Every structure is written in C-alpha cells, then in structure tokens.
Amino acid sequence: MSEAAALPRVSPQPAVATEGRPVRWVLTALAIGFLALFLVLPLITVFAQAFAKGWDAYRAAFDEPDARSAIRLTLTVAAIAVPFNLVFGVAASWAIAKFEFVGKNLLVTLIDLPFSVSPVVSGLIYVLLFGAQGLLGPWLLANDIQIIFALPGIVLATIFVTFPFVARQLIPLMQEQGNAEEEAALTLGASGWHVFRTVTLPNIRWALLYSVLLCNARAMGEFGAVAVVSGHIRGLTNTIPLHVEILYNEYNFVASFAVASVLASLALVTLVIKSGLEWRYSDELAAGARRH
Amino acid sequence: MRAGELLALLGPSGSGKTTLLRVIAGLELPDRGRIIFGGDDATRLPVQERAVGFVFQHYALFKHMSVAENIAYGLNARKRPGRPDKAEIKRRVGDLLDLIKLSGFADRYPSQLSGGQRQRVALARALAVEPRVLLLDEPFGALDAQVRKDLRRWLREIHDRTGQTTIFVTHDQDEALELSDRVAVLDKGRLAQVGTPDEVQEAPASATVLKFLGDTIEVEAIAEGGRVFVNGRPTPVAAPPGLVGPVKLYARPWQLRFAEPEHAHVEGVVRTSYRTQGRQRIEVDRAEGKTVVVEAANSARLAAGRPVGLQIVGGHVFAD
Amino acid sequence: MPEPLRPRRRLMQPSVIPGFGLAFGYMLTCLGLIVLLPLAALVARASGLGLSGIWEVATDPRVAAALKVSFGISILAALTASTFGFLVAWVLTRYDFPGRRVVDAVVDLPFALPTAVAGIALASLYAPNGLVGAQLAKLGIQAAYTPLGIYIAMVFIGLPFAVRTVQPLIVEIDREIEEASATLGADRLHTLTRVILPPLIPAVLTGFALAFARGVGEYGSIIFIAGNLPYVSEIAPLLIVIKLSEFDYKGACAIAVIMLAISFATLLAINLIQAWSRRRFGYV
C-alpha cells in the first residue's frame, strides 16, 4: 500500500453540519488514544529497549561483524531492488497510461498482485522454482548456480514484494495528466526521448520520489519473504530484519532493539519526508489515492 | 488549402473536425487518404518532421516551464546543426512575446496566467518553429465570451500581419464566418462544402450545411416549373432546374414575415416573444406541433396565444 | 479527404506517442519473470497434489487449526481496524486540533515500520512483564503468546488500510448535503446514519477486505507475539515456514495454495464491491 492521501484544511463548518463540542472532544480523544496505544507506543518501545542499558550497550550491537554484514547485505539488496522496480514502474506506467489497448485492466491487476500475496508465500514460490527440490533446481545445481540461500534469491524476493510500488503510484497520475503535453512537444519537433526527459519526467518527479521512498522502506524492512529464501546464514545471508530476529530469539534484547532502531529510524525519516511531499505536492500525489 | 489563407473547419461535435486536424498534424494516422503539403506527400511523415504548429484546445502548456521556456521549447529541441544559438533563441522569444503582447511575462509560469494569456503563449510556442501550417483546435473554446471576442479580432490581425497559413477548428458558425477566408464544413467525417463565408451562406451545398449555419424553419413544399409552392401558395423561392415534386424548403428567421391568413404559408400560435439586440424574436407553435422562431424588426409585442400567419419571403430548397 | 470515420475494434489504438513497444515489452518481461512464472511454479506444484491431496493437508488437525486461527482472528482484527479506522479517518478530516498533521502521519507507521521491528516491539510491550502486559496481567488477562496477541498485531498492521480507504471519501463529502438534511428537519444522528454513512459503506467494506487480506498473510509482526503454540496460536504462514524447514514441500504448497485462493477471493470481492459502488454511487 502506498496511498498518498492529502490532508486538506478543515473548513469552518456551520453547527448543523457537525457534531456537538463534547461529542467532538470525546471522539478526538478516543481516536488519538487508540493511535497512541496501538501505533506510537510500540515505536517508543523500540527506542526505549534499545537504550535500556545505556549508550555503550547500544553502540556495542553495531560492533558485531554479523550486524555490519547484515547492514551491508540490506543496503546491497535495496540498491538492486529499488532501481529495478523504478525502471519497471516507469516503463509499465508509460505503456499503460499513455496508450489504449485491450487487456489493460488485467495487466494492472497482475502488477498489483504481489501486494495481495502473503510474504511467506512470496518467498516460497522462489524456493519452488530455484530451490534444490525446485523446478529448475537440478539444472542450477549442475551449473553450480546458487539462487536460494544466497543474494540472488533475497533480491528476487525483495523485488517481488515491492514490485507494484512505483507503478501503482505513477499509473493514475499519468492517466490523469493525459498525453496533451507530450503531443505538443512532438509537434514542436522533439524526439521521443527528449519528450520523456523534458516533459514527462518533470511532471512525475515528485510522485516518483515518493514511491521510491516507500519502495525503499519496504525493501529494507522486508522480513517474511526474505526469511524463507535466505536460510539465515549468519554473516552471509542475514539482512537487518533477520539479524533482529536472531538476536531477539537469543534473548539478546538490547542488541536486537538497537539494530531494530536503525530500521525504525528509517521508517520515521520515510514518514517525515512522505508527509512533507504530501503537504507540498498534494495534487500530484492525490491521483494515487483516488484509485480505490 | 491555399498558401497564406485562414481556413475554418466548421462542423457539429462529432463531425470529425478535430480528428482531421490531428491527422494533418500527424498526431493520428488516417485510415485512408493522403496528406499533401505543397506537393509533397506527408502521409507517412512522423509528427516531428511535419513542421506544423499545433495549438491545443486546452493549450497543453508545459506546467513546469516558464513562458519563455515554453516558447523556446521547439527551438531547443532541434538537433545541433539546425539549432539556433542561445542569443538567437532569446531574440526570437522576445519578438514573439512582443507579438502576443506579453513582453513582461517571460518568467511567469502557466499557472500564473489567465486563460486568454495562456492561449496566446500556446500560439507563440507554435509560431516559434516557423511552421508550414498553423493548426488551431477550438482556439476560443475554453474562454469566456468577452475574451473570446477580443482574441478573435487579435488572431485575425496576427494572421494578416504574418501571412501564416492557418487552419482552425470550431463548432461556432459566427466565429468561422467572421474570422476565415474560407470555410470548410464537415458533416459526419465528410467534407460537405468548402467556400468563402459568402458562398457557403448564399449557396449552401446541402440541407445539413444550411441547417448548421444557423436557425432554420423546415417546411414541406412542392416544386413545379421552377417555382416552389407551400400550402398550395407560391413562394418567391426559385427551385433549381430539374427539381420537381415534393421538396423541403428551409428559411431563416428573418426570411419569415407575418401575414394575413390568405397569404400565409404557415399558420400557428404565438408561444412567447422577446427582444434581443434590437430585434424581436417570436416563437410560434405551428399547427403540426413544431416551434419556429421568427425574427422581425421591433414592433408591438405579440401576446402569447394569438394566432398568426407566416409568409415565406426567401430560402433554399433541397430534395426531400 | 477523410473517409467516414468508423470506430474499429483493434487490439491497440494507434498512437504517435513513441516507445510503446519498448515499454510494453519490458513491462511484460519483468511481470512474467518476477511475478507470473514463480506463481505458476506454485500452481504447477500444487496441481500435482490434486484437490484430494490439498484437502488431505488442509484437514490435518494442526493445519486446520492454523487456518482457523489465521482466518478467524484476522476477521475479528479487520472488524476492529475498520471501526477504529473509520473513527480516526472521521476525526482527522472533520475536526481541527493541534498536531492533526502529525497524527495523520502516524497512521502510516505500520506501512513504514518493518514487520519484524513491529513484532518484537509488540511482543515486549504485551509480555507479562511489559509495559501494557503487566497492566493486563493485573486484570487476569494474558495478551502475549496467546491468540489475543495475534489479534493485537493484526489490528496494528490492518489499521492504515482501513483509514486510508475511507479518508479520501470523507474529504469529498459535499457539505451541502448535510446542510440540506438539516434544513429538512433531520437531527445530526439521523443525518449521519441516513445521509453520510450509506455512500461510505463500499469504502469501509474495501478497507475491511484489505485489512483482512493483510492479516491472513501477515508473518513478521505476529510470530514474536503469538507464542506459536500448535493448535492454539500457530498461524498458517508460520506453518508454511515450518513445513519448508522440514522439507515437506507438499504440505507447504498445499497451505500456500489455500492462502493464495483466499487472496484471490478477497481481491475479487473488492472488485465486486467497487463495481457495485460505481453503479450505485457513481464512484469507487
């Protein structure tokens, strides 16, 4: 999910079109209380637990070579998966939003599909394809290619779970913008690539940045799908979330939460930039929200 | 299409006029037929190489570029040898800004302009590439009435000054007749008539052309010996040679006159009357149910419900 | 001269916009290799089992218990998420209060926070010695390592779906219809239940379905708090992982296919809700 819902100002309303003051107050308190208990408290817990034994214990979690290799692996995976989905998303939305052809709705549904598949199943399908018992397993083994329990498998599973992010943000926006500006540029003699660079790209840049941001957050934080394909080999195929799991299961809570706090900080930064973008470019991003 | 002329493509919505314009521009591919520019077949020429200037109905200005950048776009998009240098582009943009009377607006963005100003920027952007033909799609469609009138006059002036061969699409008869050198009337994707505004008004090629050019009353008539009879009474309308038997007679509101019952071609009852711009318009319910509009010089107001007779003093006849 | 314009049925409308072949080809290649081929591998593997084979796995007591836990609790959690999601969406769009924008941003936290991080945070919070868990323990309630813990985690991850599907529609409600209702003599409660709520029902249902689908498939945020006791608090996705680690591909495939079928059914239900909404209310 990557819905950008712009939050418009609350316009002053006549008394007949709103609830009484006490009702408003109670409902607001209820909503904020619910969010505080269910969403904010867990977030605070992450940082509270991470620093429960002080700064030195926190720091120590990152001196572990396994933690460092997990961070390195996660950055590598995101550095491959995010650009891949960026290029895919732009190509898919160009084909779908700028042209009329039969079967378009089916394609959009198929692109959205990974969002409705359980992360564990997302990992499983790659094991079934590339694992030792998988369809291509014997062939891969014969050619000494390792995909499952190795970097390629983790990258593939990550690409799968973040597959729709960019496309689903751009398709509605580009459909709303139409082809008029591109056609105008063509009549003025611009080549196709020039049109894309000077007209289309500037029109979608904020939505693109927005979707890449969310795609990246998910890519770095993915757990279920990666857990299935990684094999949990310490120092080799452990990403940050998997490392968090291992430390937690070893009752090494401080280290576990310390490493988790890196991901939580990433989530917070993502949310802040996301809100900033929504606030500043609500028109462009709202197209994605209207797609329900 | 003659070089230097201002041609209006006129037709009701759905008549294919915008499609034709887009086919000329190379934005759409024709199912059949060919596009010829000055003797060269341009049918297969890609849109970038047609050297057309297209002004879109909703302008399609580049939102993220300033007015000057919009106008310079076509020049900047050219490949190296053909691209003018920076100073030359700046000079041309300046000239065009003068032409569209927006000299102080070079650094504004489209969102900071009014509808009429955007329209002029779109025109300047199209003219910047020195097109062989300028194509305007409903150039005044999205503007309010007063701006529309000013821009019409201004477009005619620009055309007279630059001699730019121009085609514009409109569904507004007045606009087409007032502005163009010649009018091409389109009907269901076919060219119904091409001619000067006078020609299409005085000698419409078909009932459709005639009906589209203004309000008409349609009456069953009989043609005989070069004359046309309605309700058994002769009219001053001449039948074209060879047209005999039941025909349709079409008259304009000003080609009807109130008459005594013994001279009337059509009878009916006054529904309502109102004054508009110094003329009086009277709506008359005809006996067989249709309502017709009659235009008369200012006279006493006719009370609703009053029976009247109408005499036809002019019009055109076409086969049924 | 143009020939009469006949609308023709074509696979593809011709267009002067360049790049269709490249973009379309690239899209189809990626979609095929990344999404369709692996999913086909699953379906192929499962069809090898046959319906009877899948049924056999599904009726295994431990698997049946896990499916029941996953589906039953995610329905309850989705109900809670929809109810509070509606409340949150309403308060955020209708009432002005300090920090409104921050609260709005907080709603997306479960989208942004990695599931494993949420999972360990919830587990430590609701553990008997945790901040909330200790309070609940005084009331004789144990949340962590019971089905209640699964429910809490599922509400957490389902909430943003519920809020974000209804919120844009509440924004778009025409204030005049509320005023019209008031001028016709309706009190506020009547206006809310008869005028405002009915057009929002499709969105609420869609939000419910999305939260449900997410809850059924969720793994990371649940396994830490669930306790994972077979027959009691073991969820279906975890059972897939267990079967895989035991090299029981048959069992893993069967459970995965059942879950995939539920996903598709939910997707279909959402599409039907939206089609109905478009017919009935003119929007989605």
Side-chain angles (χ1 to χ4, degrees), chain A residues 89-115:
Chain A
V90 171
S93 46
W94 182 267
I96 286 174
K98 298 285 176 196
F99 301 88
E100 287 305 321
F101 55 89
V102 173
K104 204 189 236 190
N105 289 339
L106 178 69
L107 271 177
V108 174
T109 309
L110 289 178
I111 290 173
D112 266 351
L113 204 55
F115 272 160

Side-chain angles (χ1 to χ4, degrees), chain C residues 128-183:
Chain C
N129 57 354
L131 199 59
V132 183
Q135 301 304 313
L136 292 175
K138 282 183 198 157
L139 303 171
I141 303 170
Q142 192 189 344
Y145 321 129
T146 68
L148 181 59
I150 301 176
Y151 165 83
I152 290 168
M154 283 182 177
V155 172
F156 174 85
I157 48 147
L159 188 75
F161 293 90
V163 178
R164 296 302 186 218
T165 39
V166 282
Q167 197 176 11
L169 287 181
I170 297 180
V171 171
E172 278 168 28
I173 293 175
D174 185 358
R175 281 295 168 81
E176 284 185 0
I177 67 159
E178 292 172 61
E179 294 176 12
S181 172
T183 62

Side-chain angles (χ1 to χ4, degrees), chain C:
Chain C
M1 200 111 339
E3 296 300 323
L5 302 169
R6 263 168 302 140
R8 250 194 244 163
R9 297 288 292 158
R10 277 189 259 222
L11 281 181
M12 152 109 201
Q13 297 276 320
S15 168
V16 294
I17 305 276
F20 178 74
L22 182 67
F24 189 80
Y26 184 72
M27 167 181 71
L28 224 51
T29 310
C30 291
L31 187 66
L33 290 180
I34 301 287
V35 177
L36 300 183
L37 179 69
L39 281 174
L42 170 63
V43 173
R45 207 44 180 270
S47 65
L49 301 174
L51 272 182
S52 60
I54 295 172
W55 182 248
E56 197 181 305
V57 174
T59 48
D60 170 83
R62 187 170 169 188
V63 176
L67 288 170
K68 218 159 88 187
V69 166
S70 276
F71 289 114
I73 299 180
S74 59
I75 285 177
L76 290 178
L79 274 175
T80 313
S82 312
T83 313
F84 279 91
F86 186 88
L87 173 70
V88 169
W90 183 264
V91 167
L92 277 177
T93 42
R94 285 311 187 92
Y95 305 154
D96 208 358
F97 53 89
R100 181 167 155 264
R101 197 167 284 287
V102 176
V103 175
D104 184 65
V106 161
V107 170
D108 283 333
L109 196 60
F111 283 157
L113 198 65
T115 54
V117 177
I120 60 168
L122 289 173
S124 84
L125 205 53
Y126 287 90
N129 57 354
L131 199 59
V132 183
Q135 301 304 313
L136 292 175
K138 282 183 198 157
L139 303 171
I141 303 170
Q142 192 189 344
Y145 321 129
T146 68
L148 181 59
I150 301 176
Y151 165 83
I152 290 168
M154 283 182 177
V155 172
F156 174 85
I157 48 147
L159 188 75
F161 293 90
V163 178
R164 296 302 186 218
T165 39
V166 282
Q167 197 176 11
L169 287 181
I170 297 180
V171 171
E172 278 168 28
I173 293 175
D174 185 358
R175 281 295 168 81
E176 284 185 0
I177 67 159
E178 292 172 61
E179 294 176 12
S181 172
T183 62
L184 294 168
D187 64 20
R188 188 64 192 156
L189 192 64
H190 191 92
T191 303
L192 277 176
T193 53
R194 298 296 179 81
V195 177
I196 295 175
L197 276 183
L200 297 177
I201 287 174
V204 173
L205 287 177
T206 303
F208 172 84
L210 288 171
F212 165 75
R214 183 69 200 265
V216 170
E218 181 55 25
Y219 176 69
S221 56
I222 297 177
I223 52 161
F224 297 99
I225 195 175
N228 307 327
L229 209 60
Y231 303 101
V232 178
S233 61
E234 189 175 60
I235 53 167
L238 175 66
L239 206 50
I240 294 181
V241 175
I242 292 174
K243 298 259 177 206
L244 259 185
S245 66
E246 291 166 351
F247 301 104
D248 177 5
Y249 282 68
K250 189 180 134 198
C253 277
I255 305 172
V257 156
I258 293 169
M259 294 188 53
L260 211 57
I262 302 296
S263 300
F264 288 156
T266 316
L267 219 58
L268 186 69
I270 292 172
N271 280 326
L272 289 178
I273 293 168
Q274 295 187 342
W276 166 66
S277 168
R278 210 173 289 127
R279 271 200 318 276
R280 174 71 179 74
F281 300 109
Y283 57 77
V284 186

Side-chain angles (χ1 to χ4, degrees), chain A residues 138-154:
Chain A
W139 183 85
L140 291 171
L141 203 63
N143 289 282
D144 204 20
I145 303 170
Q146 176 118 33
I147 291 183
I148 298 305
F149 306 147
L151 180 67
I154 299 172

